[in-house]
């Protein structure tokens, strides 16, 4: 645990990150692995995760924001960094200065970026929208954008890519339709005499469940952090969740049957019980709804249910009438204790969300401890 006045921390196992990167690199080979470290490495710590993923065989990193790429460079990370969306034109000077690789999908963006590069030289990747309909050029426009890149003396067409909308649903034929559209775009590129060095389409689910989507590079996010992108997709790879969310009991009291607890007094002790207070709350990512849908923690190797409404800074836990719990005892919200484990997938099933949101939701005031 880090030195802190408040006993709460997220422990990140960097050996698990390395292990996961190695597993993904093997399954996607000969494609290269791009580790997606946006959103502070899905809440794990971007620079530490980046180094571990690179040690595990990743050759690229990907981020959403220019600021995220700049932070990697400031930490001394020299690997190729892909920006997953076209950056604002006013940020292009920073993109050039820090040797980030932008994704472009408008001719205006190509012109502005070429101007920012000036007499130098910079590589770009062009994105085609094959059906996700979020960002990317249309099929026809993607060829024109790629041609504009190739014609700009300052620019090199290093990559051409797309993103899959339902790769985590392997039975959905839409992924095959997207790949067919992507192949059409690639043929048109070739007909135009354009040959990008890297072609890529696969996210974690695409890399694992759709071999045809692997191409030259796979962009893996959630799987790097140890979670399968969907039930049955990658569960056989031996991925290891890297993050544990922990705290310590701050206060213990005995409640009589019938006593009610926390805001709204919505929870009532069915029997005499030991109640533990733990200093983590919804401001830290322990979402308020978790107490209403059967959320649990591990104390002393036992699963104990949350009792009463989760508050901003604290939760209360029903430890049972026979509990021997004391202030200072470790509490595991996510992770392993003894023979039991609680995962982000467990939370996601209860909360009707996905593990990505659970992990990214762990707040910045929770210290990250990298081991």
């Amino acid at each position: 645990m880090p030195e802190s006045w408040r006993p709460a921390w997220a422990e990140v196992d960097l050996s698990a990150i390395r292990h996961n990167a190695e597993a993904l690199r093997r399954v996607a080979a000969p494609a290269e692995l791009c580790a997606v470290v946006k959103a502070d490495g899905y809440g794990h710590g971007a620079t530490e995760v980046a180094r571990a993923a690179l040690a595990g065989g990743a050759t690229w990193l990907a981020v959403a924001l220019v600021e995220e790429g700049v932070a990697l460079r400031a930490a001394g990370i020299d690997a190729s960094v892909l920006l997953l969306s076209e950056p604002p034109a006013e940020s292009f000077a920073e993109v050039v200065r820090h040797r980030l690789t932008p994704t472009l999908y408008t001719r205006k963006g190509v012109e502005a970026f070429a101007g920012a590069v000036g007499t130098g030289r910079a590589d770009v990747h062009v994105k085609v929208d094959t059906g996700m309909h979020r960002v990317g050029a249309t099929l026809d426009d993607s060829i024109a954008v790629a041609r504009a890149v190739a014609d700009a003396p300052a620019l090199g067409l290093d990559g051409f890519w797309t993103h899959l909308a339902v790769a985590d649903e392997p039975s959905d034929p839409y992924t095959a339709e997207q790949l067919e559209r992507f192949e059409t775009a690639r043929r048109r590129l070739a007909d135009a005499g354009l040959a990008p060095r890297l072609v890529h389409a696969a996210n974690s689910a695409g890399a694992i469940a759709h071999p045809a989507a692997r191409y030259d590079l796979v962009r893996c996010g959630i799987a790097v952090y140890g979670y399968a992108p969907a039930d049955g997709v990658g569960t056989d790879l031996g991925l290891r969740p890297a993050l544990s969310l922990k705290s310590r009991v701050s206060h213990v009291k005995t409640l009589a049957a019938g006593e009610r607890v926390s805001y709204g007094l919505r929870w009532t002790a069915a029997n005499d019980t030991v109640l533990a207070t733990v200093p983590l709350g919804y401001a830290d990512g322990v979402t308020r709804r978790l107490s209403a849908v059967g959320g649990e923690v591990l104390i002393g190797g036992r699963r104990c249910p949350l009792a009463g409404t989760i508050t901003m800074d604290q939760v209360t836990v029903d430890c049972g009438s026979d509990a021997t719990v004391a202030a200072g005892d470790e509490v595991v919200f996510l992770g392993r204790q003894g023979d039991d484990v609680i995962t982000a997938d467990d939370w996601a099933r209860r909360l009707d969300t996905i593990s990505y949101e659970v992990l990214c939701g762990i707040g910045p005031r929770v210290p990250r401890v990298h081991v």
Side-chain angles (χ1 to χ4, degrees):
M1 190 188 78
E3 291 187 8
S4 171
W5 294 109
R6 179 176 183 242
W9 69 101
E11 190 172 286
V12 180
D13 181 357
L14 295 178
S15 69
I17 299 290
R18 289 194 298 272
H19 166 85
N20 298 334
E22 290 167 356
L24 293 163
R25 179 70 179 87
R26 284 194 300 270
V27 79
E32 297 180 55
L33 172 63
C34 174
V36 181
V37 296
K38 62 182 179 178
D40 195 29
Y42 288 38
H44 293 62
T47 57
E48 294 84 0
V49 165
R51 291 191 181 101
L54 291 168
T59 53
W60 278 76
L61 304 169
V63 295
L65 308 177
V66 174
E67 294 88 341
E68 293 173 329
V70 171
L72 293 176
R73 292 289 188 246
I77 293 172
D78 198 47
S80 298
V81 177
L82 176 66
L83 297 168
L84 292 168
S85 296
E86 185 169 293
E90 55 268 28
S91 72
F92 281 157
E94 287 294 290
V95 174
V96 174
R97 181 176 299 115
H98 294 283
R99 297 173 291 104
L100 308 177
T101 302
T103 289
L104 301 177
Y105 35 79
T106 67
R107 278 170 279 190
K108 181 181 289 186
V110 172
E111 182 180 348
F113 188 65
V117 175
T119 58
R121 179 79 174 174
D123 287 333
V124 306
H125 286 212
V126 171
K127 183 176 183 182
V128 55
D129 176 13
T130 58
M132 178 81 171
H133 300 320
R134 187 174 56 179
V135 295
T138 64
L139 184 60
D140 289 337
D141 282 350
S142 68
I143 309 306
V145 171
R147 168 53 65 195
V149 170
D151 288 346
L155 304 183
L157 181 62
D158 187 55
F160 188 74
W161 68 283
T162 194
H163 192 56
L164 303 175
V166 292
D168 55 351
E169 300 174 26
S171 62
D172 194 316
Y174 194 69
T175 297
E177 293 174 22
Q178 282 195 261
L179 293 175
E180 287 176 10
R181 294 173 193 145
F182 191 50
E183 284 300 309
T184 297
R186 291 185 66 207
R187 286 193 296 271
R188 292 187 183 180
L189 269 185
D191 291 344
L194 301 173
R197 183 177 67 91
L198 294 173
V199 172
H200 49 111
N203 51 11
S204 290
I208 295 166
H210 302 275
R214 290 169 186 160
Y215 294 107
D216 304 312
L217 181 75
V218 296
R219 308 178 309 273
C220 293
I222 195 66
V224 169
Y225 303 97
Y227 284 91
D231 288 342
V233 178
T235 52
D236 58 342
L237 293 183
L239 300 174
R240 289 163 42 191
L243 184 144
S244 300
L245 180 62
K246 301 179 180 182
S247 187
R248 295 195 183 277
V249 173
S250 61
H251 188 63
V252 178
K253 63 180 62 176
T254 300
L255 285 189
E259 293 283 358
R260 295 183 293 168
V261 173
S262 194
Y263 287 127
L265 300 177
R266 295 184 177 90
W267 185 89
T268 303
N271 305 288
D272 293 353
T273 193
V274 174
L275 191 77
T277 300
V278 185
L280 269 177
Y282 62 74
D284 307 298
V286 185
T287 181
R288 193 171 183 268
R289 186 166 175 263
L290 195 61
S291 59
V293 293
E296 299 169 312
V297 298
L298 299 174
I299 303 179
R302 298 172 53 193
R303 282 188 179 240
C304 299
L306 300 175
T309 303
I310 292 169
T311 64
M312 185 179 292
D313 314 302
Q314 299 177 352
V315 302
T316 45
V317 181
D318 179 11
C319 300
S321 59
D322 60 344
T324 55
V325 178
D329 286 355
E330 183 186 76
V331 182
V332 174
F333 288 74
L334 294 172
R336 180 174 295 278
Q337 189 184 70
D339 295 328
D340 207 348
V341 62
I342 297 174
T343 69
D345 282 334
D346 294 331
W347 280 27
R349 280 188 287 271
R350 291 187 184 278
L351 296 167
D352 191 26
T353 185
I354 55 178
S355 56
Y356 307 65
E357 185 175 24
V358 172
L359 296 170
C360 292
I362 297 172
R365 71 178 187 174
V366 177
R368 270 59 169 180
V369 180
H370 297 92
V371 299

